Amino acid sequence: MKNQIRVRFAPSPTGPLHMGGVRTALYNYLFALKMKGQFILRIEDTDQSRYIEGAEEYILNSLDWCGLKFHEGPHLKGEYGPYRQSERKELYKLYVDKLIASGKAYYAFDSEQELDEMRVNLKKAGVQSPQYNHISRQTMKNSLTLPVEEVDKKLSNNEPHVIRIKMPRNQTIKFQDKIRGWVSFNTNHLDDKVLYKSDGMPTYHLANVVDDHLMKISHVIRGEEWLPSAPLHVFLYQSFGWEKQMPQFAHLPLILNPEGDGKLSKRDGDRLGFPIFPILWKNKKTNVNIEGYKEKGFLPEAFINMLVFLGWNPGNAQEIFSMDELIKEFTLERVGKSGSRYSYQKTKWFNQQHLRLKSNQEIRDKTTFSKDFKKSEEYILKVIELVKERCTFFEDVIKESNYLFTAPDDYNSVAVEKKWNKETVSHLISLKSKFISSKDFTKNNIEVIFKDYLELSQVGFGQVMPGLRISITGKMQGPSMFSVMELLGLHEVISRIDKAIETLGNG
């Protein structure tokens, strides 16, 4: 289809997928589906020295947990494959040869020692950031300085070499970024990057541009860290004569650490105690397992909801979104230029909000109650309804509801010290008799009985309710006591009041 939106997420299988990578995938996914386009996965594994076994599978599993589904990829069919760059090796050689033939690239035979010497000499000459560029290449061992016969001989003898782009001198390369507007670079500040390595594999730069062109990628949405590479990529499109087919670029802002003074890293997670990866990463080399958001109890929809706000905003006060709502509302125009601080507390808040949206049955299906709790399923669902507003994770449902299954054996010591006294016991005894005489022990009637007692006794809410809550739950906080009491039933409420008075005494 002409002008179809096609975007790609192109991770390298060099380790676990950082949450920043997930955000890049998410923005590509939302944009593609909003525009009724295609979302492609491409594995960029040209750097075989950094390849880590299991990383590709981890990437797929992570994105699957997040609910990000691809239209094409190495695990799917597609007319633009293969989708692993290691399987496209011969293809890149054809294109780098075209650059050589057109004079846009050249062979370089410099050894590592010679490159090091070049950098040292440039630093001695006052160059702060030594580069292999339009000036330094004139003194190096390459096909621009060596006689043609010598170059041919070196190539025929398979002498180690790389192929570098020939970056022109003092030209302006500019492009329009969908997030940052017009961006321009002067080629005097750019080096002659390696396009083809001595091991016969392309670098990221060449493979990236060739694949994006051949796969008809319409938009390249990637992290800010790739912005310095963009002028080279634009120049490669120009060098191949593909200017009219060049994708639109959108460079996403950084995700910052909680202090806002640097890019979010695994070190920040280790230091402050929060996960950086979406799911469990099992390092087969070190046998070290690192838990992700999934293992910490986060819902994927909450993780995604949090992540989308690290760079994008909807333009209104809404914060809680389903994936379908995000697809409908997402636009690149509302992605900011500045980095966004990560907050673990806010991440937990998102999880709390999404947990509340779950039905009682959904929460029941994810929660394992003790077999010692001899209660009906109907009762358990009512318990969940009562406590879920106070829960951040599924496991909190158990912590918050224990007293609804068994009477408290101990009581909050601070609460007892502050709120338990002779007057408290007197109020409880009086209330108990009123509860017993009630023929309708429902939450509404319990509330009426309680408020009538306060009015007749001319006492305040705070003089009576804390003692009642302590006696029944052992705590100072929780859901509505009238709802709790209805669920427990009259007999259990009276039993717990009696037990508290017997245990705690008359103050």
Side-chain angles (χ1 to χ4, degrees), residues 103 123 157 222 249 298 311 354 376 383 391 428 479-480 491:
K123 282 191 174 182
N157 291 335
R222 59 188 180 187
F249 292 97
F298 285 87
H354 278 275
S376 67
V383 166
C391 299
L428 288 175
S480 162
H491 177 77

Side-chain angles (χ1 to χ4, degrees), residues 359-409:
S359 70
N360 296 337
Q361 187 61 55
E362 285 178 299
I363 295 175
R364 172 68 182 101
D365 293 340
K366 295 287 186 178
T367 308
T368 304
F369 290 89
S370 172
K371 292 181 180 179
D372 295 332
F373 296 161
K374 306 295 184 182
K375 298 291 184 180
S376 67
E377 282 298 306
E378 181 184 5
Y379 183 89
I380 290 174
L381 291 175
K382 289 179 180 179
V383 166
I384 292 171
E385 176 64 28
L386 268 182
V387 304
K388 71 177 181 180
E389 293 293 313
R390 304 180 59 81
C391 299
T392 300
F393 303 105
F394 285 120
E395 63 182 24
D396 294 338
V397 175
I398 302 296
K399 298 175 186 176
E400 292 290 334
S401 66
N402 276 328
Y403 66 87
L404 291 167
F405 293 95
T406 57
D409 289 323

Side-chain angles (χ1 to χ4, degrees), residues 22-267:
V22 179
R23 187 198 61 172
T24 297
L26 172 63
Y27 282 14
N28 275 277
Y29 174 81
L30 295 176
F31 179 73
L33 271 66
K34 170 70 176 287
M35 305 301 291
K36 295 181 170 37
Q38 301 294 300
F39 179 47
I40 297 110
L41 175 66
R42 187 173 71 225
I43 300 297
E44 300 199 337
D45 56 351
T46 57
D47 191 347
Q48 293 292 299
S49 64
R50 296 178 59 219
Y51 175 83
I52 292 182
E53 183 184 357
E56 181 180 326
E57 181 183 8
Y58 177 85
I59 291 167
L60 289 169
N61 291 338
S62 295
L63 297 176
D64 183 64
W65 178 72
C66 292
L68 305 184
K69 307 297 184 183
F70 295 95
H71 297 100
E72 299 170 29
H75 58 304
L76 300 166
K77 292 181 179 180
E79 60 181 296
Y80 298 97
Y83 294 92
R84 291 185 189 89
Q85 289 185 335
S86 59
E87 298 172 7
R88 301 167 66 87
K89 180 179 175 180
E90 298 304 320
L91 186 66
Y92 306 121
K93 185 66 169 63
L94 298 174
Y95 285 94
V96 79
D97 285 346
K98 288 184 179 182
L99 294 176
I100 289 284
S102 65
K104 301 293 186 179
Y106 60 94
Y107 300 105
F109 302 93
D110 316 282
S111 66
E112 286 298 324
Q113 181 181 348
E114 289 167 333
L115 291 171
D116 289 340
E117 289 175 358
M118 178 266 287
R119 298 185 188 104
V120 170
N121 291 334
L122 287 175
K123 282 191 174 182
K124 286 180 180 178
V127 178
Q128 295 297 317
S129 302
Q131 292 181 326
Y132 201 121
N133 58 19
H134 63 280
I135 296 176
S136 60
R137 71 187 177 212
Q138 298 176 37
T139 62
M140 301 303 289
K141 214 161 61 175
N142 55 62
S143 58
L144 301 178
T145 60
L146 297 173
V148 175
E149 296 79 8
E150 187 173 348
V151 172
D152 291 340
K153 183 178 179 181
K154 288 178 178 295
L155 293 175
S156 62
N157 291 335
N158 292 320
E159 188 168 318
H161 65 276
V162 298
I163 298 176
R164 292 181 179 271
I165 189 71
K166 185 183 178 184
M167 195 60 70
R169 185 172 186 173
N170 198 30
Q171 289 188 15
T172 298
I173 296 176
K174 65 178 183 178
F175 63 93
Q176 191 167 26
D177 189 284
K178 289 189 71 66
I179 294 171
R180 299 163 193 280
W182 282 101
V183 182
S184 64
F185 296 81
N186 188 287
T187 55
N188 285 349
H189 303 129
L190 304 174
D191 59 341
D192 293 357
K193 292 280 191 220
V194 173
L195 301 179
Y196 214 72
K197 296 177 288 186
S198 58
D199 63 0
M201 289 294 286
T203 62
Y204 165 83
H205 304 293
L206 176 67
N208 171 274
V209 168
V210 170
D211 287 343
D212 282 347
H213 176 73
L214 296 180
M215 293 182 180
K216 301 188 184 305
I217 300 302
S218 64
H219 293 74
V220 171
I221 304 169
R222 59 188 180 187
E224 179 182 297
E225 62 270 23
W226 291 111
L227 189 58
S229 299
L232 169 58
H233 299 164
V234 172
F235 182 68
L236 281 169
Y237 276 100
Q238 295 170 348
S239 299
F240 284 122
W242 298 337
E243 297 100 317
K244 292 183 178 180
Q245 293 82 38
M246 187 171 73
Q248 296 185 59
F249 292 97
H251 288 89
L252 308 175
L254 294 175
I255 298 178
L256 304 176
N257 62 31
E259 293 83 6
D261 58 5
K263 184 179 177 180
L264 182 69
S265 68
K266 182 180 178 299
R267 190 178 297 108

